[in-house]
Amino acid sequence: PPCAPPRPLFGGGAVRPPNPAGLAAVDGRSGEQFGKLMAIYRLIKDNYVEEVDDTKMFRGAIDGMLASLDPHSTYLDGSSLQRLETLIDGNYSGLGLSVIMEDGAVKIISPFKGSPAEKAGLKAGDYITHLDGVLYYERDLDEAVAKMRGPAGTSIRLTIFRPGRTDSFDVTVTRGVIELEPVTWELRDKVGVISVNEFSRDVGRDVAEAVSVLRRDAGGTLAGLVLDLRSNPGGSLDEAVVLSDLFLEKGDIVSQRGRHARENQFYRAESVYRGDIAKGLPIVVLIDAGSASASEIVAGALQDHKRAVIMGERSFGKGSVQSLIGLDRSSAVKLTTARYYTPAGHSVQEGGIKPDIRVPQLSDPDARKRAERAIRESDLRGHLINEIALDDA
């Protein structure tokens, strides 16, 4: 079947659908490699100790190809595709964790704010080694995620290995309905504090509403705004652009550069809300090692335009764009199609956004140690190299 148009996702951006008949256009060297692949397939079919299902082998080949590229490109079908759609909607039952497979183990990038996982004390950088006593090592990540999902009110026992501790330990977490409430806000002494927990649908609109409500509650006079992007793993590029545009009157927000010049895109402030909705109020943006992707786009745009002071810890460092490319009605590829750059032309890949004012989490006595060993993009196996950094070297 023909490929469906690509969908913006996790940095988004359109790419041209792949050619379903592309195998016919390979060069001689690629043809040799395809020949080896088919030869190995025949060897397995004819000689493996047990009969092997074709679907299992081809799925393994697809997964292997994508895994060899970078940590964020993957094949999705069935329940895994449905889970991604559900996550974008921001409503599901489970623990509230952003995880990745690293060195064969499930590793936590960040627990979502207010989630059962955060309340249970799980931290960025923790490894989940067992689920209900069953070892999950070198197994499919979707299988582990499906195991952690489940009806609200049910519990699961996680065995955690935390770098810096000698022994692993168990944590029992009760699943809940993860209605992430992408945007929450409160007024503190005439200062509006807006927390953006993830970039799902309508985040930009919700932040605009938050500013309006905060100004009303402050009697029409706000002293400033704090935009809290800590532990925000990202999401939609479009929402990151809209959120940045709220506080910028003109100029670039982010650029997206693909393999070919024709695929480059520039996103600029359009003053959809007729200019800076904060009307020049001082803004502080809070980030940490769990601030990734779309969070870094917002922080980078406001930092480069000197519209906000960035405070906290260095961010995660995910400077790549993934597009969801449909193959048919029930399967798709999430493929890295571009890198993104801040208005000043800086890539956050590996290095992340560096705060103007570095501030550790003083409320947590172990925060400095965790910040030093926090997982970032540069720690992931097969991550993209920051090509700007290579040029500078």
Side-chain angles (χ1 to χ4, degrees):
C3 296
R7 294 184 47 202
L9 179 72
F10 300 123
V15 294
R16 294 193 298 180
N19 173 17
L23 294 183
V26 298
D27 58 26
R29 185 174 181 182
S30 297
E32 292 178 8
Q33 299 303 316
F34 278 113
K36 288 181 181 179
L37 178 64
M38 295 311 298
I40 293 172
Y41 165 77
R42 290 306 327 169
L43 283 171
I44 295 172
K45 291 290 289 184
D46 295 341
N47 299 288
Y48 189 68
V49 64
E50 296 177 352
E51 186 174 350
V52 182
D53 179 63
D54 280 352
T55 300
K56 179 178 181 179
M57 283 199 290
F58 284 116
R59 175 61 190 267
I62 292 170
D63 289 342
M65 279 193 291
L66 291 166
S68 72
L69 302 177
D70 63 70
H72 308 293
S73 295
T74 186
Y75 173 76
L76 303 166
D77 66 353
S79 58
S80 61
L81 182 58
Q82 184 179 18
R83 282 195 294 272
L84 180 58
E85 298 281 1
T86 301
L87 182 60
I88 295 171
D89 289 334
N91 191 333
Y92 63 95
S93 295
L95 306 183
L97 283 172
S98 176
V99 297
I100 195 168
M101 187 64 73
E102 171 71 5
D103 291 333
V106 179
K107 195 170 190 178
I108 298 175
I109 292 179
S110 178
F112 294 125
K113 293 179 183 177
S115 67
E118 184 189 52
K119 293 175 181 177
L122 299 181
K123 307 291 185 183
D126 286 348
Y127 289 89
I128 301 173
T129 61
H130 296 71
L131 300 175
D132 280 335
V134 178
L135 176 65
Y136 271 75
Y137 180 71
E138 292 190 345
R139 297 173 69 163
D140 184 54
L141 180 61
D142 286 334
E143 181 183 353
V145 171
K147 179 72 173 175
M148 288 186 279
R149 294 271 177 92
T154 60
S155 298
I156 185 171
R157 178 166 51 91
L158 310 180
T159 302
I160 303 297
F161 172 76
R162 179 169 293 167
R165 292 185 56 161
T166 303
D167 299 322
S168 59
F169 56 96
D170 289 345
V171 177
T172 298
V173 187
T174 300
R175 299 179 181 92
V177 176
I178 312 299
E179 295 179 351
L180 289 176
E181 285 190 278
V183 180
T184 59
W185 61 86
E186 62 178 313
L187 185 65
R188 299 182 186 176
D189 298 326
K190 296 289 187 177
V191 175
V193 180
I194 303 174
S195 297
V196 181
N197 301 316
E198 48 109 39
F199 285 83
S200 56
R201 292 185 177 95
D202 299 325
V203 162
R205 184 194 65 185
D206 292 345
V207 171
E209 178 187 357
V211 174
S212 177
V213 172
L214 288 166
R215 181 175 283 116
R216 182 197 66 197
D217 292 348
T221 306
L222 279 172
L225 291 174
V226 174
L227 187 62
D228 191 350
L229 301 180
R230 290 174 298 176
S231 298
N232 183 324
S236 166
L237 168 66
D238 291 339
E239 293 301 328
V241 170
V242 172
L243 176 52
S244 302
D245 195 7
L246 294 178
F247 305 107
L248 298 174
E249 296 185 353
K250 61 181 180 179
D252 290 342
I253 292 174
V254 64
S255 62
Q256 175 181 307
R257 308 178 196 177
R259 182 175 177 181
H260 305 290
R262 63 176 178 271
E263 297 168 352
N264 296 347
Q265 296 186 45
F266 292 82
Y267 298 85
R268 297 181 172 89
E270 299 177 352
S271 296
V272 174
Y273 289 85
R274 297 183 179 179
D276 176 7
I277 65 169
K279 302 186 185 304
L281 286 174
I283 299 176
V284 171
V285 177
L286 303 180
I287 61 173
D288 62 10
S291 305
S293 188
S295 299
E296 296 171 297
I297 289 175
V298 174
L302 298 184
Q303 184 181 53
D304 283 359
H305 284 287
K306 302 187 186 306
R307 182 61 190 88
V309 174
I310 311 302
M311 185 178 295
E313 298 283 355
R314 179 168 62 88
S315 64
F316 183 77
K318 181 178 178 293
S320 60
V321 176
Q322 281 71 47
S323 294
L324 189 64
I325 305 172
L327 300 176
D328 52 39
R329 293 182 180 271
S330 61
S331 63
V333 171
K334 181 160 70 77
L335 188 67
T336 299
T337 53
R339 301 171 187 261
Y340 69 77
Y341 298 82
T342 71
H346 299 142
S347 170
V348 304
Q349 181 64 21
E350 296 189 271
I353 298 293
K354 296 179 180 178
D356 300 308
I357 302 174
R358 186 177 181 277
V359 181
Q361 299 295 311
L362 298 179
S363 60
D364 186 341
D366 295 326
R368 185 176 296 278
K369 292 180 180 178
R370 282 209 316 277
E372 291 172 353
R373 62 173 180 263
I375 178 177
R376 289 184 169 88
E377 175 80 5
S378 56
D379 299 315
L380 304 183
R381 175 179 291 179
H383 66 272
L384 293 177
I385 302 299
N386 186 332
E387 57 185 9
I388 299 299
L390 288 179
D391 290 342
D392 292 343

